[in-house]
Each structure stands twice: as C-alpha cells, then as structure tokens.
Amino acid sequence: MPIYPKGKTEKDIEKAYREASEVSKIIYPKKLNWFQNRFKNLNHFNVHRRDQDNFLVTIADFLLMIYYWFIDQYKKFIIWLYPRKDTIYGVAKDAYVCGKLTFAKKGDSSTPLHNMDVALWARTKLGGWRKLAKGYTERDGSFKLYFDFLESRKFKYRKFYFEVYQTTHVFFHQETGEALVKDVVFERYPIKKSEFSGMGYNLDNIQLFYWEYRTDTPLPRVVINDHDQDAPEYYSEDRNKAIREQFIPIELIKEDHLAIIDLNPDLLTIPKIQADYPPNLTTAMEKILPYSTRCDYWFGRRVMNGMNCATFQKDEKNEGLYWVKYFGGCSYPTNDEYAFPTVEIQFELAENGLPLPLKIKTIGPINAFNKDRYQVHEFTPNDGEKWEQAKRVARVTGALTAEADDHFAGTHLNTEQYAIALRRNVRKNPIATLLLPHLKEVALINHTADTVLIGPGYIPKASAVTEDGIVERAKDTLGAFDWKNWKPMEPISDRHTYAKAENLFWELVEDFVEYFFKENEALIEKEWYEIYCFSNDLVNNSVPLFLSTVDESTLSDSEKAMNKEKVKYFHERYRLDPNLQRVTIDGVVKCISPITTNENAPEEGDMENLKAVCKYAIMMATFMHTFINEHQYDDIGEVLYCSLGLRFGDSKEGIFRPEDDYSISPDVTRSTQMMWFSNLLSRTEYGFITRDEEHDVDPYFCKLLKSKTKEFAELNVEIDNIESRTNI
Amino acid sequence: MNSKPSIISSLFLKIKQLGSKIFLWFFSKFFTWVIVMTLSLTKRKRMSHDNGIGATGKVTIVKDPKFPAHEFFEPGRVFPARIRHASATFLDDAMSCIRSMSIKFSDKEFKSPFDLEMNTGEISLFWSAWSFWKFARLRQEKYGVEYINYYKKYPEGLKGAEVALRRDNESFHDLRYYAKTPFRFKGKDNIDRYVKYHIKPYDDIPETGIIKNPSAVDTGNQRISPHETRGRNYLKEEYENRIKTKGAKYMLQIQTRIAQDDDDQSVFNNMVPWDKEAHPWHDLAVIEIDKTLDWVESCKTSFSLNNMPKSLGIIPAKSIYDFNSLNYMRAHSETARKARLLAYKLFGYPKEIPNNDDRNSEDWAKIQKNKRSKMMR
C-alpha cells in the first residue's frame, strides 16, 4: 500500500493537518447555561441515557436549585456578617484543651496525624466568632491549646468549637509569587460551655477519616464516600462551571442519539453519529484530503507523536529498525465479544525522521472461533487491504493500551498515590505548596472514572477488558512506575517531536523545582519528619514491583516469553530502573523507592531524592497527562478510524474486515458513547498552567513555560493547553 | 474626663464581682440542700466519708516552732483532740480509695476552736466549686468503678486520683494527709499569709498503699483485688488494735507564704503544690491518739472549716471558678451536717459496716436494711 494518498506528498498531508487542526480546535465558550443543576459537577455525568423527567419534576428540580442557591447565599451572608478574625481573645493561658488526632480507618487507627492545624473557637450568643487558641498537633498527634479560662466563662459566649483544618488550595500572589495557603475546616467538634472547668479538658482521641486508603482495591486509592458531601476534596466552583459551559451541546447530542436508539437502532448509523458530533482532527483531515489519515505516513507519525507517543525499542536482530509493542489482553480477564490482541509493529525510520511501518504482528485471538491467546498473525504492506485492516487493529489496541496503561495507570493512578501521601503527611513543609497545585483534584476525577469509565462504566462494555481485568492490569502496570532514576524519553530522530517536547518540559520542571528548593531549603529540612512520613506512606501503599508477584512455575512457556517481553519493554517505556534495590514489605517487593529513611533530617542523597520525586510528580500530573488527554480527541475521536475495541464479528476473518463492516465496529450505542467520552475528556479541561485561571500556579513556573512558547509551538505543543493538574 | 470611664468600668466590675459572689453563695447552698435531701436526712449519710473510725487523744503545739508566731499556736500549748480516719465513697476498706484524716483540737462531737479536714495525695481531683460540680455529676459509679468519663475529660482530675488513691495500705496511720487548699494565717506580726497543712506519722515511716504505675485507663476501677482475703473493715480493725496496743502519733506540719497583691491565682490552686524549697514544711503540732471511739460516737463526730479562729480561716472566694471556692463550699455545708445529726435523732444511728461478702459496695442503704440476728440486737 502507498505511504501517502495517491498523488500526494508529505507536504499535502501536513497542510491538511494544519487546516484540520484549526477546524477541530476546541474553543471554550463563556456562556453560562441556567440549567446548571443537572450538571452539578463532573461526577453527575452519565454515559447512559438520563432518566426522563416529567415536567413537574423538572420544575421541582429547578425550584430545588433556587433553594440551594438561596442557602448558599445565606451561608455567604453569615460568613460576611460574622467574620472569623485571626485574633486570640483572652490574655491568661491558665486552661487548656488537649487530645490526640489519629486516622480513623481500621488498620490505620493508631497512626497519628501530625502537624494538623487546630483551633479553639467560641461562638457568641449573637453568632459572632472569637478565637481562643490555635496550634498544631505534635508528631504523636497530640495537641494542647492554652486559653484564658475566665474569658471562656463570659456570659456572651454560647458554645465552643474545636476545629481541625485542612489545606485545600494554594494560591499565589501574582506579583510577589508568595504562596497563600487556603485552609478550610475539615472537622468541627462542639464543646458545651459547661464542659470547661479550669485546668485541662481532654477531647480524647479524635479519629478522622482523613485521606484514608481504600481497602477494597489493591491500588493506592483514597476513600470517597460521596463525591458532593463526603470527599476529602472538592472541585472549585469555576471547574464545575467550565464543565457546564463546555459540555451541554455534546450531552444533548448523546441524549438525542440514545433516544433514537431506544426507538429503533436502525435509524442511526456510525457515519451519522460521527457527523452529528463536532469534527475531530481525523474526520476533518479526511474531508480535506481523503486517505490522509489511513496512509502509512500518518500511521507512523501518530504512533510516534500522537496520543500513543510510543516507545521505539531497537530491533536486536535488525539494526536501524524498531519495534513498538502494545500488550493486549495477554492473560488478563477479557470478554468473548471484543478482540484485544497484542500488537507488535516493526518500523524503519524514513529520511524525514518519521517511522514507517514494515510489519504488524498480532498475538492473540482475532476471531470468535480460535481463542488461542498466543496465536500469531503477521501483516506487511504487501498484504493490500489486510494491511489497512491490520493498521486499524494496531490503532485500536494501541489506543486501549494507551488509555489503560499510560493514561489511567501512568498518570491518573500514579498521580493519585502521590496526592494521597502528600495530603496525609505534608502540611508545614513548603513541599506542600510546591506539589499541591499539581496534585489536587486527581482523586476526584479518578473516583468519577471508577463508575463512568472503568468499573460498571464504558470500557468494560465497549472493549475486551473486563472490570476485574482493568484493575488487575492497572495494578501490574502501576508496578512499573517509580520516580527514581526516571528520565524523559530519548528522541530517536529530529521528527520525534513528542520526545523532544517531553524533554523540554522536563527541563522546565527541573529548573522550577531547583529554584523552589533553593528558596525553601531551610524550611524543607526543618520539617523533614513530614517528608519521612510522606515517603513511608508512598512506599507502604505502593503496588508490588511489576510482575514481581508472578509465580513463574505456574506459567506456560508462551506466558513466560510474553512476560519477559513485557518486562523489557516496560522498563524502557516507563524508564523503570531494573537494577535498583527495592524495599520489601511483608514479603512484597514494592515498586516505589523510598525518599528517605531518616525521621529528623535529610542525610546524603535524601534532598536529591525529594527533588526527583517532586519533579516526577509534577511531570506526570501536568505534561504527561495533558499530552495523552488532549490527543484523545485527535486519535480516538472517529469511531471507524480508531475505537477502544473491535468486535470479533461473525466471520472467520474476525476483526480483519473493512471499516464499512459495522459488525466489528462498536454498535451505535457504544459509538455515540465513545464520541461523548472523547469530547468530554478533551472539551472540559480546566486548570492550565499559563492560563492560571485561579492563580493557583506558581508564577515562576508560568514564566518558565511562557519563555518556551516558540520552542513548544515548533513541536506542535500549545503551552496554553498544558494543564496544571490531572482533573479530567 | 479621663477618670469617668474608669469609675464606670470599676463600678461595672464591682457589680460583676458581686454577682459572681452571689451566684457562688446560691451555688453552695443549692449543693448543700441537694446533700441534705438526698443523703443527710433521707439516708443519714455524710456526702462521701461514711466509712470511718474516730479516736481521741491530744495535740501539742511544738515547743520550738519555725513558723511565724500565732496566738492560737502558742508553743507547747496542749489541746484535747479528736480525729477521724475514713475511706472515701466506698464501704470496703480493701478497695482502692482516697483515705482521710480529720482533726479537731477538742474532744467534743462538734464544737472546737480548730478543725482540719485532710485527704491523701498532695493534689486533689478537682479545683473549684464548678470543677467539683462536674466531678459529682460525672461519678457514674457502677460495681466499684467510677469517674471513668471524668478522668477521660479532665487530665488533672485523673492525675489527682492517681496521686491520692491508696490500695492495700497497711494502716491509716502510715499515710500522708494534706489539706490542699490554702487557708489564711495572720500571725502576731500582723502580716497576711497563706498556709497549707499536712499530717504525717511522727516517726516518718514509709507510706504504704501508693499505687505504683497507675493506668490511665483503669484508675476508675477501685474494686478490691481478686482473691482479696482482708475484710471490709480491715483498716478500721487494724487501727483499733494499733491504738489499743501502742497508740498512734502524728506530726501536723504547716507551710506558709506571705500574701502578695500580685499573687498568681495558681497559689490557691490545690492542684499546684507550693515549692518545698521556697516554702518548706515546718512542724506545727504533735498529735497523740490513745483511744478509739465506737461506731455511734464516730458517727456523731463532725468537723467544720468554720471551726477556726478568724485569723486562720478560709480565704474568701470570688466565684464558682475561684480556687478558694472549694473551702467556701465546705464552710457552707453546715446545714448538711445538722440535717444528718437530726436524722440520727429521728431515725436512729446507722448500722455499722458488716464484715460480710458484699464486696465493692457503696450501698449504705443496703446495710441499713440488713436484718440482724437476735443476738446482735
């Protein structure tokens, strides 16, 4: 098959690409939709059809929205009327309130909460607030807040409250760059006025459900009981507003389609569905230049610089050639409807520096009849139509592995484990202000993903992986992500723009983190205990090292061979250092390396470790996530070009059928859902580094990124689209 | 013009203070009447120290006092004396209890020129009238376990209990007793002072019964030790034998400090012992006991902080939060004492604590209801 569309060259395709990019560019409208109660926040999105409300319910819903609006306004009014000043009332310190804060979760209940910000407040009979004492908990979680006993006996006071605070946001002064921490009340305990009797009053052991680890999953995840009412963090109002503003039209398209499908599925076709949604890059390119996105040139270009941003492993047998490997179902649980073979693609580098595919090898079932997980099929450009179909299969497997391994495990889950450990342990240490802006909200989006995308959500219904399979796969893959000795991908050619962009961004992150450490080194050292605890939580709760728990004696030769390939490829892809000594806890080799083993002060190498962790966490949460997320719309925004799964269909050819054979494509429901997702994940982004909507990004970091605008643009990366955190 | 605001604010302060004092008076009276109605009249009970034994002897002021001269404490002066040892709250000597010693410089049932009420432990379990109210409300006793919630909420209360409780002490005699709240002392030099009192065995023998390594969680468990062989009255019986065979001799000591206008309130706080180096204990009087009283006579014997010369009385208290409010309340509990004595007259004297198997008990009413065999009556 030809490398380019007939009679066309690379120049034509690049021109089509530029034009299509403009057409498919996502613009964020400013218009506010009044029916915002239906989309309170991201967690209220549903991939399925919404329940049809009758008119009365809609009115009631609207009235409820008005009521909640009034309650919010009333609360704001009360806050305005009764401001809480940071003045301590009373002079003497002759009485105290004491106690101990620990985590509440079973198995965690004796772990103290150190350095928690606590305070004792009095409420006057007229509703005013008076602060009587403030302080922090000690390392063992204990606190002792001294206050003026006679002050507390005054007639004007009605009740007292012991409050525990949590830092929710870090904002930055735009001129000085000073970090301004926003604390909110995490828990409030009332104390009757009669309880104080002079001397001490013991609140005993207060246990807090504070960023506790889930025990129902092998992955390091935080417990979220209720996204809106009982979560360790919440989206900012502007983040929710962004979703509402951007997504209503897309939601309406999906609802429309699902309504038609309910009526009669035959009324819709995949092309019709595709046409109803805004055009993405590939549909726009196909309109400008047919076959531009199906040719070999485009295939190689996207594998290298698209959403997959694949790792090109040198071919050991053929110099100058490379392999890209997408590990499919392997031995993970899969369903019987969708195919998910492992795909290995051999590439050569063309003169222009872009890879051209030479061979596509699939390993695994390709039809409904032969379920041998290790059957091999090979295709080359000489195979005509089969080659086109093989590319499509490669795209699909590549997309699903990119989503499952690189996106979900590599950025979302990876970032969440750092976020949890940070929130649980780092408060006074300046590292909190460095990392919090980049690690916030990831737990929330992951929680949404559990139901919408992963668990009973879209992926198990629209691809080969099952609910259990995703979790097992995520656990294994996460075992290949460690901060230690991580470095960005090495470009293999001048056209390897993704790798170059990754390296460029890494340089900025290094610069930023080094600068931060230089400014804050003394305080970072002073509060080293928090880093010690942070490190412990990170390591103790990390998943086992990739494939370290596998008992080889139970595996077949094919499985062993596959695992060997995987280990080698993953070490290269995720830059996991195979020679590193790792920590073993209860017989399990842990993936993440410790930052420090010293409680009180850093020893040699510890500061460098901490810097490396910070750089890594920021890198994963920002650039690495943004790149994959942003390019989802480009690379899996056209159902027939690339979906997340291909059905086996009824023929012996299985998934090797033309694009117009809709029996192997996702059905119409899953097709519209896929488009809905693709748009959701790409259109509802909020929280960018340079846009800095909430002034919660360090100005120095913004400045560094802006200084490289041109360099990034040359690498097809728009810096204004790089997110400051993983929240979508 | 400048003086006006300060006059007004002073006036306001005076009114506020008066209000607090009035409230303290009402509070004390209310508490006393609660005792009268629930314990004294109805059950012929003291508030807490029913389980005791009285004794008589004499008290002799030391000949060479090292403390400031006082007309009442003339060197060598001898008074007849009555004392009463008791175990607080429970009617079983083998339980872990606070032990007490009260003394009057007189051999009368009540009338006396000088009385002192003391308990074991250098610090107390409460520190003001309000704190005592919380203490009383949070007793929540069941089967010999009490104050669990009080100790949880009030760390100083727990500390006081750990210091004051005595378990398995060999005798009342070898313990150390403290009147923890200070009193007035205006000596011959007319200088206002504050004093504390303390009693120890004359020969300073080691104190027994101190609970070593107390458990913060289990201090409220005052039950007898498992497999306890000693009876409910072992301490009283021991004391009786001791007095019969060799008598008991104690040293009453005094600690003084000069009153200053800018004294910190902690001076009056019975949870804060005065520094022994700065304010050393001096011998005040020798107490020699040679005869124990029978149960009825012990019941009749009562003590009062009002039985003190004016120059040695209680320090005025300003409010229910004032550390001196404890002694204030004690001084205002006369009505309860009188009601109890009235109840004796009307209903007879309460029965003695029997040496039976009803252990860990504080059920006074049950003892009164117990039938006695004809031989005992």
Side-chain angles (χ1 to χ4, degrees):
Chain A
M1 298 299 290
I3 296 169
Y4 306 109
K6 198 173 178 184
K8 301 293 175 185
T9 63
E10 177 184 339
K11 215 170 154 185
D12 297 308
I13 295 178
E14 292 302 323
K15 184 167 173 278
Y17 166 70
R18 282 190 299 276
E19 284 172 23
S21 295
E22 282 305 308
V23 167
S24 61
K25 195 172 182 176
I26 294 168
I27 297 160
Y28 305 110
K30 295 275 179 228
K31 197 174 158 189
L32 176 65
N33 188 301
W34 275 102
F35 292 99
Q36 61 201 43
N37 54 311
R38 292 175 71 92
F39 298 118
K40 234 156 84 170
N41 58 49
L42 195 59
N43 202 50
H44 289 254
F45 281 95
N46 193 331
V47 70
H48 305 295
R49 197 175 169 200
R50 288 184 169 276
D51 291 334
Q52 290 302 300
D53 295 334
N54 68 32
F55 177 68
L56 288 173
V57 171
T58 306
I59 294 292
D61 211 11
F62 182 71
L63 290 173
L64 198 62
M65 183 197 76
I66 303 286
Y67 167 73
Y68 282 132
W69 181 84
F70 269 114
I71 296 292
D72 280 340
Q73 297 310 308
Y74 172 73
K75 281 182 184 168
K76 283 177 184 163
F77 172 69
I78 295 295
I79 288 169
W80 171 82
L81 190 64
Y82 300 120
R84 286 152 69 101
K85 294 181 191 162
D86 199 23
T87 314
I88 301 289
Y89 281 73
V91 175
K93 303 281 177 213
D94 53 1
Y96 64 87
V97 155
C98 65
K100 188 172 174 172
L101 296 187
T102 61
F103 290 97
K105 200 117 175 85
K106 193 174 162 185
D108 213 6
S109 54
S110 58
T111 308
L113 274 156
H114 55 265
N115 291 352
M116 290 293 278
D117 193 353
V118 292
L120 179 68
W121 286 85
R123 197 94 201 259
T124 67
K125 289 183 164 83
L126 294 175
W129 290 94
R130 302 284 183 269
K131 188 183 266 191
L132 296 187
K134 64 178 181 181
Y136 290 92
T137 56
E138 302 292 327
R139 278 191 194 185
D140 63 354
S142 65
F143 59 88
K144 207 169 188 179
L145 301 179
Y146 282 94
F147 63 97
D148 188 330
F149 177 63
L150 287 180
E151 173 70 30
S152 74
R153 297 292 88 198
K154 284 182 178 171
F155 178 75
K156 65 181 176 182
Y157 295 126
R158 172 162 55 94
K159 206 171 186 176
F160 298 88
Y161 295 89
F162 172 72
E163 292 182 346
V164 182
Y165 301 94
Q166 155 173 248
T167 299
T168 52
H169 292 87
V170 178
F171 299 109
F172 292 88
H173 193 279
Q174 292 305 290
E175 274 145 46
T176 63
E178 187 196 344
L180 307 159
V181 161
K182 182 182 172 188
D183 284 348
V184 297
V185 177
F186 179 75
E187 278 288 3
R188 175 181 288 149
Y189 297 90
I191 306 172
K192 282 188 204 169
K193 191 172 176 179
S194 59
E195 290 286 85
F196 291 148
S197 65
M199 308 298 294
Y201 181 71
N202 191 357
L203 287 166
D204 214 351
N205 180 199
I206 296 171
Q207 295 191 312
L208 300 178
F209 284 100
Y210 184 79
W211 288 92
E212 65 260 24
Y213 286 97
R214 280 170 60 178
T215 50
D216 60 339
T217 171
L219 304 166
R221 304 286 310 276
V222 74
V223 170
I224 295 180
N225 291 319
D226 183 314
H227 203 100
D228 299 324
Q229 306 287 335
D230 189 7
E233 60 178 345
Y234 300 96
Y235 289 121
S236 63
E237 184 49 36
D238 284 343
R239 203 267 171 274
N240 293 329
K241 227 164 125 182
I243 295 168
R244 294 193 288 267
E245 286 167 1
Q246 293 156 20
F247 206 62
I248 301 294
I250 306 296
E251 174 70 11
L252 290 173
I253 295 171
K254 180 202 78 175
E255 287 289 304
D256 200 29
H257 286 168
L258 293 177
I260 293 172
I261 290 164
D262 261 351
L263 206 59
N264 181 359
D266 293 334
L267 291 173
L268 268 184
T269 61
I270 291 173
K272 169 80 174 78
I273 288 169
Q274 191 70 56
D276 283 347
Y277 283 94
N280 81 320
L281 178 70
T282 53
T283 53
M285 278 183 71
E286 284 297 310
K287 215 171 172 181
I288 296 166
L289 180 58
Y291 193 68
S292 55
T293 63
R294 272 47 172 186
C295 62
D296 289 3
Y297 168 81
W298 185 254
F299 180 83
R301 190 186 186 287
R302 294 312 285 181
V303 166
M304 179 183 254
N305 294 319
M307 184 188 84
N308 296 15
C309 44
T311 295
F312 287 80
Q313 196 180 36
K314 283 189 177 148
D315 189 331
E316 284 165 1
K317 294 176 187 156
N318 302 290
E319 205 183 315
L321 299 185
Y322 296 88
W323 284 96
V324 166
K325 295 179 185 179
Y326 299 132
F327 293 96
C330 300
S331 53
Y332 294 113
T334 49
N335 58 39
D336 289 330
E337 201 179 326
Y338 284 85
F340 191 22
T342 294
V343 171
E344 295 179 6
I345 314 163
Q346 191 184 47
F347 284 96
E348 67 170 354
L349 278 183
E351 265 182 43
N352 61 10
L354 286 173
L356 281 175
L358 298 178
K359 191 194 299 184
I360 294 175
K361 194 161 87 173
T362 65
I363 305 164
I366 58 152
N367 63 34
F369 309 102
N370 180 359
K371 292 295 167 70
D372 176 9
R373 283 181 179 254
Y374 295 96
Q375 57 180 285
V376 178
H377 303 271
E378 285 189 16
F379 304 88
T380 67
N382 298 325
D383 290 324
E385 274 302 311
K386 286 292 173 219
W387 174 246
E388 295 302 315
Q389 291 150 21
K391 280 190 287 183
R392 185 188 182 199
V393 169
R395 284 197 293 268
V396 169
T397 296
L400 187 54
T401 53
E403 288 291 3
D405 299 341
D406 304 335
H407 190 186
F408 183 57
T411 61
H412 281 259
L413 295 182
N414 196 10
T415 308
E416 186 175 352
Q417 62 185 343
Y418 289 89
I420 301 169
L422 181 81
R423 293 282 203 172
R424 281 169 67 92
N425 298 293
V426 184
R427 287 177 265 280
K428 282 176 160 183
N429 196 299
I431 295 298
T433 60
L434 173 65
L435 292 181
L436 207 60
H438 306 291
L439 297 183
K440 65 180 182 183
E441 295 172 355
V442 64
L444 291 172
I445 192 62
N446 289 353
H447 179 249
T448 302
D450 284 342
T451 44
V452 172
L453 203 56
I454 309 296
Y458 179 72
I459 289 184
K461 293 183 170 70
S463 73
V465 288
T466 63
E467 203 175 319
D468 290 339
I470 295 181
V471 172
E472 204 184 316
R473 188 188 178 104
K475 186 191 114 197
D476 285 347
T477 313
L478 198 57
F481 288 94
D482 184 20
W483 59 269
K484 193 142 183 147
N485 297 338
W486 188 89
K487 49 184 192 259
M489 186 187 282
E490 271 189 42
I492 60 166
S493 75
D494 205 44
R495 293 291 294 274
H496 200 168
T497 52
Y498 167 74
K500 283 177 156 187
E502 193 181 298
N503 276 273
L504 185 58
F505 196 87
W506 180 246
E507 276 171 33
L508 297 180
V509 171
E510 283 191 311
D511 196 342
F512 171 49
V513 171
E514 291 292 337
Y515 165 78
F516 183 89
F517 270 69
K518 205 167 126 196
E519 297 288 303
N520 297 281
E521 188 156 358
L523 196 52
I524 293 172
E525 273 190 40
K526 184 169 173 248
E527 302 292 346
W528 192 253
Y529 181 70
E530 291 189 348
I531 304 301
Y532 169 75
C533 295
F534 170 59
S535 175
N536 282 351
D537 256 350
L538 209 51
V539 174
N540 292 342
N541 292 283
S542 74
V543 295
L545 181 66
F546 182 58
L547 296 186
S548 63
T549 53
V550 171
D551 182 1
E552 290 247 306
S553 62
T554 61
L555 301 181
S556 66
D557 289 340
S558 303
E559 283 169 331
K560 282 185 203 167
M562 180 67 82
N563 279 353
K564 203 173 160 194
E565 287 296 307
K566 261 177 147 179
V567 167
K568 211 167 149 198
Y569 193 77
F570 272 29
H571 280 167
E572 207 172 314
R573 174 131 187 85
Y574 304 120
R575 275 79 82 200
L576 183 72
D577 188 340
N579 302 315
L580 212 55
Q581 271 287 100
R582 301 211 177 254
V583 170
T584 301
I585 297 173
D586 295 334
V588 175
V589 178
K590 291 292 185 177
C591 166
I592 294 189
S593 301
I595 301 167
T596 179
T597 50
N598 307 295
E599 264 188 44
N600 298 314
E603 287 193 357
E604 198 188 327
D606 287 351
M607 270 302 211
E608 290 308 310
N609 284 348
L610 181 60
K611 282 183 196 171
V613 166
C614 294
K615 290 170 192 171
Y616 180 81
I618 293 172
M619 187 74 183
M620 293 299 134
T622 54
F623 182 84
M624 301 300 279
H625 172 258
T626 299
F627 196 90
I628 295 174
N629 195 73
E630 204 191 18
H631 289 87
Q632 280 174 137
Y633 190 54
D634 295 341
D635 291 304
I636 40 173
E638 184 188 344
V639 178
L640 297 179
Y641 170 77
C642 178
S643 55
L644 291 182
L646 289 171
R647 291 182 287 172
F648 286 125
D650 298 322
S651 79
K652 284 264 188 313
E653 290 165 308
I655 55 178
F656 289 95
R657 296 281 302 148
E659 282 185 21
D660 57 8
D661 182 351
Y662 300 144
S663 68
I664 64 165
S665 301
D667 63 17
V668 285
T669 301
R670 286 161 182 75
S671 294
T672 191
Q673 287 172 338
M674 183 193 119
M675 291 308 302
W676 180 85
F677 259 116
S678 179
N679 277 274
L680 170 71
L681 298 176
S682 304
R683 286 186 180 278
T684 57
E685 288 169 320
Y686 176 84
F688 302 92
I689 296 173
T690 49
R691 292 186 224 206
D692 194 20
E693 300 95 319
E694 294 178 347
H695 299 314
D696 57 355
V697 182
D698 193 313
Y700 184 70
F701 193 30
C702 287
K703 191 178 120 191
L704 283 174
L705 187 53
K706 280 180 179 162
S707 69
K708 299 286 180 192
T709 308
K710 193 161 158 265
E711 287 91 326
F712 275 108
E714 283 165 10
L715 300 171
N716 298 319
V717 173
E718 204 178 312
I719 60 158
D720 287 341
N721 288 349
I722 300 177
E723 291 181 290
S724 63
R725 67 253 196 192
T726 301
N727 63 358
I728 189 63
Chain B
M1 280 301 283
N2 281 343
S3 63
K4 269 189 186 171
S6 68
I7 290 171
I8 292 167
S9 59
S10 303
L11 201 62
F12 180 72
L13 196 63
K14 284 282 178 208
I15 293 169
K16 211 172 151 188
Q17 283 173 353
L18 183 65
S20 298
K21 280 184 185 166
I22 291 170
F23 187 77
L24 173 61
W25 184 88
F26 273 111
F27 187 87
S28 305
K29 289 302 173 197
F30 167 75
F31 200 86
T32 302
W33 276 99
V34 165
I35 302 291
V36 164
M37 301 311 289
T38 59
L39 298 175
S40 313
L41 265 182
T42 50
K43 293 180 183 163
R44 297 171 285 164
K45 238 178 137 314
R46 296 172 199 256
M47 190 184 76
S48 56
H49 291 61
D50 287 294
N51 178 12
I53 181 166
T56 59
K58 66 176 179 181
V59 59
T60 311
I61 308 300
V62 296
K63 290 202 168 71
D64 181 22
K66 301 280 190 289
F67 57 90
H70 190 281
E71 60 189 6
F72 186 79
F73 296 126
E74 285 292 345
R77 189 174 176 186
V78 180
F79 298 86
R82 224 181 239 217
I83 67 152
R84 184 170 180 274
H85 280 300
S87 298
T89 316
F90 291 103
L91 308 176
D92 191 328
D93 291 347
M95 291 176 76
S96 169
C97 296
I98 290 171
R99 317 289 173 181
S100 75
M101 178 173 175
S102 304
I103 178 170
K104 53 168 70 258
F105 284 18
S106 143
D107 193 16
K108 301 264 189 317
E109 289 159 10
F110 179 68
K111 204 171 173 194
S112 157
F114 185 81
D115 282 5
L116 277 176
E117 293 168 334
M118 289 178 279
N119 288 298
T120 45
E122 212 178 345
I123 56 174
S124 186
L125 284 72
F126 38 80
W127 41 90
S128 66
W130 179 245
S131 160
F132 183 71
W133 173 250
K134 304 296 294 181
F135 177 74
R137 292 223 37 216
L138 286 172
R139 186 180 172 221
Q140 297 159 345
E141 187 272 336
K142 198 136 185 157
Y143 307 129
V145 178
E146 57 182 6
Y147 297 115
I148 297 295
N149 284 323
Y150 180 78
Y151 296 146
K152 272 189 184 168
K153 284 186 181 182
Y154 303 105
E156 273 75 20
L158 171 64
K159 211 164 140 192
E162 287 172 351
V163 161
L165 287 169
R166 296 289 178 270
R167 179 187 281 281
D168 301 335
N169 49 302
E170 288 170 12
S171 171
F172 280 120
H173 175 250
D174 62 51
L175 305 181
R176 273 59 172 168
Y177 304 93
Y178 296 82
K180 298 154 219 209
T181 313
F183 294 86
R184 291 183 61 219
F185 184 101
K186 199 158 190 173
K188 286 181 178 173
D189 57 7
N190 220 34
I191 293 174
D192 280 321
R193 287 184 176 81
Y194 305 125
V195 294
K196 286 188 179 180
Y197 299 98
H198 157 238
I199 285 179
K200 61 173 189 172
Y202 184 80
D203 49 5
D204 218 6
I205 51 172
E207 186 171 6
T208 59
I210 295 173
I211 298 172
K212 290 181 178 56
N213 197 23
S215 154
V217 178
D218 211 30
T219 296
N221 177 3
Q222 296 178 231
R223 295 167 62 81
I224 61 172
S225 307
H227 313 299
E228 175 63 71
T229 52
R230 294 168 300 188
R232 292 174 74 176
N233 297 301
Y234 90 90
L235 274 177
K236 296 185 284 295
E237 286 161 5
E238 188 281 337
Y239 196 71
E240 214 173 325
N241 283 334
R242 173 182 287 270
I243 300 301
K244 263 189 202 147
T245 54
K246 47 188 169 174
K249 203 168 172 187
Y250 308 83
M251 178 61 79
L252 172 64
Q253 293 190 309
I254 189 170
Q255 200 181 21
T256 67
R257 67 188 292 156
I258 294 175
Q260 316 274 8
D261 284 341
D262 58 356
D263 271 328
D264 191 77
Q265 288 302 302
S266 63
V267 166
F268 309 111
N269 188 352
N270 67 4
M271 304 303 292
V272 182
W274 295 345
D275 186 274
K276 290 179 188 54
E277 307 257 319
H279 310 285
W281 288 102
H282 298 296
D283 293 342
L284 168 57
V286 176
I287 305 163
E288 291 163 282
I289 302 299
D290 52 24
K291 186 179 165 212
T292 54
L293 300 170
D294 65 21
W295 175 254
V296 167
E297 205 54 41
S298 292
C299 286
K300 283 189 212 172
T301 303
S302 308
F303 303 83
S304 169
L305 295 187
N306 291 319
N307 290 344
M308 278 192 181
K310 269 215 164 82
S311 56
L312 294 174
I314 62 170
I315 300 168
K318 295 187 190 111
S319 73
I320 58 171
Y321 310 114
D322 192 324
F323 295 126
N324 294 308
S325 57
L326 276 178
N327 272 350
Y328 181 94
M329 278 183 70
R330 288 176 184 131
H332 280 73
S333 60
E334 274 298 291
T335 313
R337 183 191 65 81
K338 286 176 181 166
R340 177 169 57 85
L341 293 174
L342 175 64
Y344 290 163
K345 284 202 165 79
L346 293 173
F347 308 115
Y349 289 93
K351 291 180 190 157
E352 275 184 77
I353 299 164
N355 264 330
N356 61 13
D357 285 340
D358 188 18
R359 309 309 301 262
N360 300 314
S361 171
E362 56 98 50
D363 196 342
W364 183 256
K366 193 175 175 186
I367 293 169
Q368 309 315 316
K369 282 182 201 156
N370 274 349
K371 283 200 173 148
R372 284 187 187 178
S373 70
K374 283 181 184 167
M375 295 297 288
M376 288 289 290
R377 283 186 222 139

